[in-house]
């Protein structure tokens, strides 16, 4: 993405949050309600004003990626429905050519399928219809990772952000305090009270009173008051204008361990490398005299010997600095093979200068005078 479009990333998220906030206040998942809000905000005109084709493609890709986050957990069902409708509207209103697709990782596709089953079970057929329309138009681009992986990326890392207003309300107390649980607590409390009364009768001087009176009604009233406060709080938050919502960075969480994340990534890359070196590519017919050999991932590391054509035991020659690999001549390789078989002595492997053949021992050879051309 070009630097000129990076400044539009935060305003785009603000507009998406405002659109979802209005849709959430309707307390409905119908496409008719969403379409009314979409037309009222003229949201399809965010692609207007960009003339460069490359910038159109970049901005469309950025908008689709920003809207895809609302389709996935941990957002509630209504916000995820709004994410589906936003993706449908952005995909068909973009001005890029060819149309940019919605990038979706394979691990997230399972969540989308579960979401579709929930919508089908709740008889929200308009949501299922929109999803099938996107699949029919081949709007999804299924990938291995949610974001493209680039080697040595020199950009600031942005973590996924979850909006607190759109998060699911806490329902753990309501799930824990059920009718069966209250009946069980009432029985245990009654049994404990009877035991205490028997102890007090046997020992009148005892003044211990560890039985809490009206335990079950107090517990039930606490849960009901919490639920009432939660509804009032949600209504107050929804009435506010979502001009700027508080975002929470998951990277600042106390449970985040960068060493653990890096070790997981290193193990994943090591397994991929081991699988790639575990297969031998079939050699072409024209190169059957050079059979491929299977080597481990450790042997193909940065310390791999790149001297091709040199036999073991021979003093290595200097590696050429150009990109072409140095290969010994056919004559040298033939002589080397004969020397290993014992056919010729080692002196034949050394270079011999022809002009020394006629030189007597101890005789000095005059230097050759090279005449250079002068202009």
């Amino acid at each position: 993405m070009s630097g000129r479009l990076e400044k539009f990333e935060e305003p785009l998220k603000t507009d998406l949050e405002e659109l979802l906030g209005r849709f959430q206040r309707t307390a409905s998942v119908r496409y008719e309600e969403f379409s009314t809000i979409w037309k009222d905000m003229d949201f399809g005109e965010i692609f207007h004003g960009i003339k460069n084709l490359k910038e159109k493609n970049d901005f469309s890709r950025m908008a689709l990626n920003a809207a895809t986050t609302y389709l996935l957990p941990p957002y509630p069902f209504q916000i995820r429905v709004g994410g589906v409708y936003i993706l449908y509207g952005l995909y068909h209103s973009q001005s890029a050519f060819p149309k940019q697709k919605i990038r979706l990782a394979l691990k997230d596709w399972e969540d989308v399928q579960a979401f579709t089953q929930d919508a089908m079970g709740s008889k929200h057929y308009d949501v299922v219809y929109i999803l099938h329309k996107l699949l029919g138009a081949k709007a999804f681009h299924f990938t291995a990772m949610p974001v493209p992986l680039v080697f040595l990326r020199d950009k600031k890392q942005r973590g996924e952000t979850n909006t607190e207003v759109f998060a699911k309300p806490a329902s753990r107390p309501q799930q824990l305090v059920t009718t069966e649980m209250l009946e069980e607590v009432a029985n245990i409390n009654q049994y404990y009270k009877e035991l205490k009364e028997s102890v007090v009768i046997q020992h009148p001087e005892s003044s211990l009173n560890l039985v809490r009176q009206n335990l079950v009604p107090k517990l039930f009233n606490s849960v009901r008051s919490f639920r009432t406060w939660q509804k009032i709080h949600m209504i107050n938050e929804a009435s506010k204008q979502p001009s700027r919502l508080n975002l929470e960075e998951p990277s600042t969480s106390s449970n985040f361990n960068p060493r653990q994340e890096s070790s997981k990534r290193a193990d994943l890359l090591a397994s991929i490398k081991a699988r790639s070196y575990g297969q031998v590519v079939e050699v072409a017919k024209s190169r059957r005299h050079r059979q491929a050999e299977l080597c481990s991932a450790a042997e193909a590391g940065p310390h791999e010997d790149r001297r091709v054509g040199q036999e073991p035991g021979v003093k290595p020659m200097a590696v050429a600095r150009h990109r072409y690999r140095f290969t010994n001549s056919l004559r040298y390789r033939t002589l080397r093979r004969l020397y290993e078989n014992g056919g010729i002595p080692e002196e034949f492997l050394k270079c011999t200068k022809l002009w020394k053949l006629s030189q007597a021992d101890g005789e000095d050879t005059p230097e050759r005078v090279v005449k250079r051309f002068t202009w």
Side-chain angles (χ1 to χ4, degrees), residues 67-76 80 104 108-109 111-112:
T68 307
T69 57
Y70 301 106
L71 174 61
L72 306 174
Y75 295 105
R80 297 180 67 180
L104 189 65
D108 298 330
W109 177 243
D111 298 330
V112 176

Side-chain angles (χ1 to χ4, degrees), residues 140-160:
F140 290 102
H141 180 206
F142 298 100
T143 58
M145 302 296 293
V147 294
L149 297 182
V150 182
F151 181 67
L152 295 179
R153 174 182 293 177
D154 190 13
K155 293 182 180 180
K156 58 182 180 179
Q157 300 293 333
R158 300 185 180 90
E160 295 181 0

